Amino acid sequence: MRRERLGFGFALAVLSLWCTMEVVVEAAWSLQTPVKLVWHYYKVHNTCDYAEAYIRHQVESFYKYDKTIAPKLLRLLYADCFVNGCDASVLLDGPNSEKTAPQNRGLGGFAFIDKIKTVLEARCPGVVSCADILNLATRDAVHLAGAPSYPVYTGRRDRMTSTKDSVDLPSPSISWEASLAYFRSRGLDVLDMTTLLGAHSMGRTHCSFIVDRLYNFNDTGKPDPSMKASLLEEMRKLCPPKTRKGQPDPLIFLNPASGSKYSFTNSYYSRVLTNEAVLGVDQQLLYNKDTKQITEEFAAGFEDFRRSFALSMSRMGNINVLTGKEGEIRKNCRFPNKK
């Protein structure tokens, strides 16, 4: 896979993750510039030498009893980074905060982040940001699920405000063109998009996010013709048409092949190729030459997907970060500090 060279600093950290890949797609292979974060920030600055170890220990303890934390944290990190940037604004409570936006319905993992923050405040008070905790905890959780343990640069600070009006996360039924435009608006490329959508290899979603594909695709009154007949039948049994207000909105697995195992695999891409993707945006990967080519490569080689995931997650974690004197280091991830 050919990635356009943007610099060598980050590449040195991930060089060992890469091997020759057959897909030829122009894409970046380093963090977006300027890079304001630091590898092992808290150790380098001697402020909390074992911050990452403390976080990893908490993740490992929780994962033993609840494997859903991996997909929950992945979605939480996406919801944070793609709105204002990776600044932990999605963690803030409030009647009109980001977590109250319709697109963020069903977000989880908040209590888990609270637990880690409590541990860190007891050991290194006022030092480790909620934004860094979210990025590091997500890395460690998905690694336990089968993803690579990629480098996470740190030194982020926390935003002090959060509004639901700022949440512009797109519908999961958008076209690949609209999806790519959205990713590019965040400094990411077609390889990042195709790779990060692979996070749908595990986790669950509400029926309301796919009911249009099942019964009224593009206002036609018919199902999405690209959906495999057996999948359509299966999903319709789980997700009846909405006929009344207050009707239950069941949860379904994003990738039935992974299901309750919540394992990180490349089976998502195989399902896209056989028209068995649950979300519309995932099935759209077949309709662009580059995304289809990448999908075929990842379906054929799990290690190719893992290596690309390592870099794309690091690039996502670099979106519009606050550093230096920007923002603050929250004492409680749910509330800004009192002045």
Side-chain angles (χ1 to χ4, degrees):
M1 181 173 294
R2 188 168 70 228
R3 282 186 175 265
E4 178 185 357
R5 182 174 303 197
L6 295 182
F8 62 89
F10 181 74
L12 293 177
V14 298
L15 185 60
S16 62
L17 294 172
W18 287 88
C19 70
T20 302
M21 298 167 67
E22 295 179 0
V23 175
V24 179
V25 175
E26 292 294 341
W29 63 285
S30 67
L31 290 182
Q32 309 89 316
T33 55
V35 178
K36 300 192 292 182
L37 302 174
V38 178
W39 201 5
H40 300 310
Y41 174 88
Y42 300 102
K43 183 173 288 187
V44 169
H45 290 273
N46 198 30
T47 53
C48 191
D49 287 4
Y50 300 103
E52 296 188 26
Y54 295 146
I55 293 172
R56 187 177 306 112
H57 175 73
Q58 291 299 313
V59 172
E60 289 171 349
S61 297
F62 269 80
Y63 189 81
K64 290 178 183 177
Y65 303 101
D66 183 8
K67 289 182 171 54
T68 68
I69 65 169
K72 285 177 180 176
L73 289 179
L74 268 174
R75 185 185 171 198
L76 189 58
L77 182 62
Y78 161 76
D80 186 46
C81 293
F82 270 77
V83 177
N84 292 310
C86 300
D87 54 16
S89 55
V90 74
L91 302 179
L92 288 169
D93 281 348
N96 294 298
S97 65
E98 290 174 32
K99 62 175 65 172
T100 67
Q103 300 98 313
N104 284 333
R105 184 186 175 202
L107 275 184
F110 298 106
F112 176 59
I113 297 298
D114 291 341
K115 171 62 176 176
I116 297 177
K117 181 62 172 174
T118 299
V119 169
L120 286 168
E121 284 298 304
R123 288 162 172 74
C124 311
V127 172
V128 184
S129 70
C130 299
D132 277 344
I133 291 172
L134 178 55
N135 274 267
L136 289 164
T138 300
R139 185 268 311 275
D140 294 339
V142 297
H143 176 54
L144 290 172
S149 182
Y150 52 88
V152 173
Y153 277 29
T154 44
R156 299 170 186 81
R157 289 171 65 86
D158 303 321
R159 188 175 295 275
M160 295 178 281
T161 59
S162 177
T163 63
K164 67 179 181 181
D165 290 340
S166 66
V167 178
D168 62 349
L169 300 173
S171 161
S173 297
I174 60 173
S175 66
W176 70 264
E177 295 97 336
S179 179
L180 182 56
Y182 184 74
F183 273 75
R184 282 177 171 164
S185 73
R186 268 57 178 177
L188 303 178
D189 56 40
V190 65
L191 181 54
D192 292 317
M193 181 190 77
T194 311
T195 301
L196 293 173
L197 285 177
H200 296 159
S201 66
M202 56 184 175
R204 299 191 296 175
T205 189
H206 283 279
C207 283
S208 56
F209 288 121
I210 70 160
V211 71
D212 58 330
R213 292 194 76 201
L214 305 181
Y215 301 101
N216 190 25
F217 181 68
N218 288 345
D219 295 322
T220 61
K222 299 178 181 180
D224 184 346
S226 70
M227 183 178 283
K228 191 172 182 179
S230 57
L231 177 65
L232 175 63
E233 182 181 3
E234 177 186 354
M235 290 297 104
R236 280 184 162 181
K237 289 178 181 177
L238 299 172
C239 301
K242 187 174 182 180
T243 57
R244 57 185 172 83
K245 188 176 182 180
Q247 180 175 319
D249 189 10
L251 284 165
I252 55 171
F253 289 112
L254 284 167
N255 179 10
S258 171
S260 59
K261 297 188 294 292
Y262 295 101
S263 54
F264 182 90
T265 73
N266 61 338
S267 61
Y268 160 87
Y269 295 101
S270 299
R271 292 182 66 88
V272 170
L273 293 174
T274 56
N275 293 294
E276 294 178 281
V278 172
L279 295 180
V281 67
D282 296 335
Q283 197 58 65
Q284 286 281 316
L285 293 178
L286 285 187
Y287 303 139
N288 169 262
K289 181 184 69 174
D290 289 340
T291 57
K292 182 180 180 181
Q293 192 177 15
I294 297 166
T295 297
E296 291 171 341
E297 180 78 12
F298 289 168
F302 183 38
E303 285 306 308
D304 290 347
F305 171 42
R306 292 177 83 252
R307 293 182 183 98
S308 190
F309 187 81
L311 182 50
S312 291
M313 284 294 291
S314 296
R315 282 168 51 76
M316 181 176 76
N318 192 48
I319 297 175
N320 294 336
V321 295
L322 302 178
T323 58
K325 296 184 180 298
E326 300 172 310
E328 64 181 8
I329 304 296
R330 276 183 233 144
K331 296 178 181 178
N332 183 324
C333 291
R334 292 179 181 265
F335 306 100
N337 297 337
K338 293 181 179 179
K339 301 301 182 183

